[in-house]
């Protein structure tokens, strides 16, 4: 029953995508469409430059996945495998920042990027991924790294390995599962991100897919069938990647 309830909004999105305007606003909508209009998909994708939006979103998403996996795994390694004064206290202090919602730091972030002259570029959406990769990802990787026996590190040290080689040859090969999870979370967060691009991107040619969907909404009306058709296409990569990652 719970799964059926969760799938109902998805079904209604697809239903709206394959019907005409008259069936969307009919007094008593039918559960099964009376007339299918599959041309909504081609009309929606051709009415806006979704090919460009797809490329823009892919650039941001792939860059974030690479940056997050690299930087967060290095930070997690430093918090688990390298002993230095105040390590655990600093980690606990950093975890308190997880309680801060994005709305609290949104304005300071915007002001900072404005001073750097990087508004209306992809820099604010990509660069932070290479400087830590997010506290939650560091926490998740740290907890997993702590389950890896340190005897493996000591054996590598006996063979003359340093921290970098232990990180690349011992830790990462044993952490494929958690790296896939972090990569999947990062993909979903950036592929479906709306607030970040809306905050920093103003030029339409640099729009992401989420911003492109808003072009179907006007001041006096909305093209719901075209919007739902485009949303259905945009959701497909997330579904495929999620099923593949399972």
């Amino acid at each position: 029953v719970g799964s059926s309830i969760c799938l109902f909004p998805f079904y209604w999105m697809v239903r709206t995508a394959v019907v005409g305007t008259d069936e969307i606003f009919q007094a008593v909508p039918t559960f099964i469409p009376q007339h299918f209009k599959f041309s909504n998909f081609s009309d929606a994708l051709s009415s806006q430059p979704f090919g460009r939006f797809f490329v823009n979103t892919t650039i941001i998403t792939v860059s974030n996945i690479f940056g997050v996996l690299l930087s967060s795994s290095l930070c997690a390694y430093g918090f688990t495998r390298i002993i230095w004064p105040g390590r655990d206290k600093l980690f606990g202090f950093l975890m308190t920042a997880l309680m801060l919602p994005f709305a609290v730091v949104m304005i300071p972030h915007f002001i900072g990027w404005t001073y750097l002259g990087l508004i209306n570029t992809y820099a604010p959406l990509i660069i932070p991924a290479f400087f830590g990769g997010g506290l939650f990802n560091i926490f998740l990787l740290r907890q997993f790294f702590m389950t890896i026996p340190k005897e493996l590190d000591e054996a590598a040290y006996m063979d003359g390995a340093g921290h970098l080689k232990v990180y690349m040859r011992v830790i990462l090969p044993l952490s494929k599962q958690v790296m896939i999870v972090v990569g999947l979370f990062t993909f979903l967060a950036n592929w479906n991100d709306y607030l970040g691009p809306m905050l920093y991107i103003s030029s339409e040619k640099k729009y992401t897919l989420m911003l492109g969907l808003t072009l179907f909404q006007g001041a006096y009306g909305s093209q719901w069938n075209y919007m739902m058709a485009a949303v259905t296409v945009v959701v497909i990569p997330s579904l495929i990647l999620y099923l593949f990652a399972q």
Side-chain angles (χ1 to χ4, degrees):
V1 176
S3 301
S4 301
I5 294 175
C6 293
L7 289 174
F8 183 75
F10 180 76
Y11 164 78
W12 208 257
M13 176 187 71
V14 176
R15 180 196 179 280
T16 307
V18 297
V19 300
T21 308
D22 53 340
E23 286 197 51
I24 298 176
F25 299 104
Q26 62 185 3
V28 182
T30 57
F31 189 76
I32 299 177
Q34 300 174 357
H35 305 285
F36 290 90
K37 190 177 180 182
F38 292 104
S39 60
N40 288 339
F41 291 94
S42 58
D43 293 342
L45 297 179
S46 60
S47 62
Q48 305 293 342
F50 272 93
R52 179 185 297 171
F53 299 159
F54 178 84
V55 173
N56 297 341
T57 305
T58 302
I59 292 173
I60 295 173
T61 303
V62 173
S63 301
N64 271 272
I65 291 175
F66 177 76
V68 166
L69 291 180
L70 176 64
S71 60
S72 61
S73 60
L74 285 172
C75 291
Y77 180 86
F79 279 117
T80 54
R81 280 344 203 225
I82 302 177
I83 300 176
W84 42 279
R87 183 190 67 177
D88 296 335
K89 291 182 180 179
L90 178 60
F91 177 77
F93 176 75
L94 291 176
M95 288 300 101
T96 59
L98 289 174
M99 297 183 292
L100 293 176
F102 179 71
V104 174
V105 297
M106 181 172 60
I107 295 177
H109 282 184
F110 181 81
I111 294 174
W113 291 114
T114 302
Y115 283 150
L116 294 175
L118 295 176
I119 296 299
N120 198 30
T121 68
Y122 296 145
L125 304 173
I126 295 177
I127 292 179
F130 289 85
F131 290 88
L135 291 175
F136 176 77
N137 297 326
I138 296 174
F139 169 77
L140 189 64
L141 290 170
R142 174 185 179 270
Q143 298 307 110
F144 187 88
F145 289 175
M146 291 176 66
T147 64
I148 300 176
K150 291 186 177 181
E151 288 78 9
L152 299 176
D153 302 12
E154 296 171 356
Y157 293 143
M158 291 292 293
D159 291 335
H163 282 298
L164 184 60
K165 185 166 289 188
V166 170
Y167 164 77
M168 296 181 63
R169 298 293 183 87
V170 178
I171 301 299
L172 290 186
L174 296 175
S175 306
K176 294 179 181 178
Q177 300 92 334
V178 70
M179 296 289 281
I180 290 174
V181 171
V182 172
L184 181 61
F185 284 168
T186 305
F187 173 86
L188 295 176
N190 288 274
W191 188 266
N192 300 317
D193 187 20
Y194 173 73
L195 184 57
M198 183 190 67
L199 185 64
Y200 298 116
I201 303 299
S202 58
S203 176
E204 186 174 317
K205 66 179 181 180
K206 296 181 180 180
Y207 273 13
T208 61
L209 287 170
M210 291 298 111
L211 291 181
L213 294 175
T214 62
L215 298 177
F216 292 108
Q217 287 184 304
Y220 302 102
S222 301
Q223 299 170 299
W224 293 111
N225 51 340
Y226 290 161
M227 180 183 291
M228 291 300 104
V231 169
T232 302
V233 176
V234 170
V235 167
I236 289 176
S238 299
L239 292 177
I240 294 175
L241 182 63
Y242 181 80
L243 294 175
F244 177 78
Q246 288 294 312

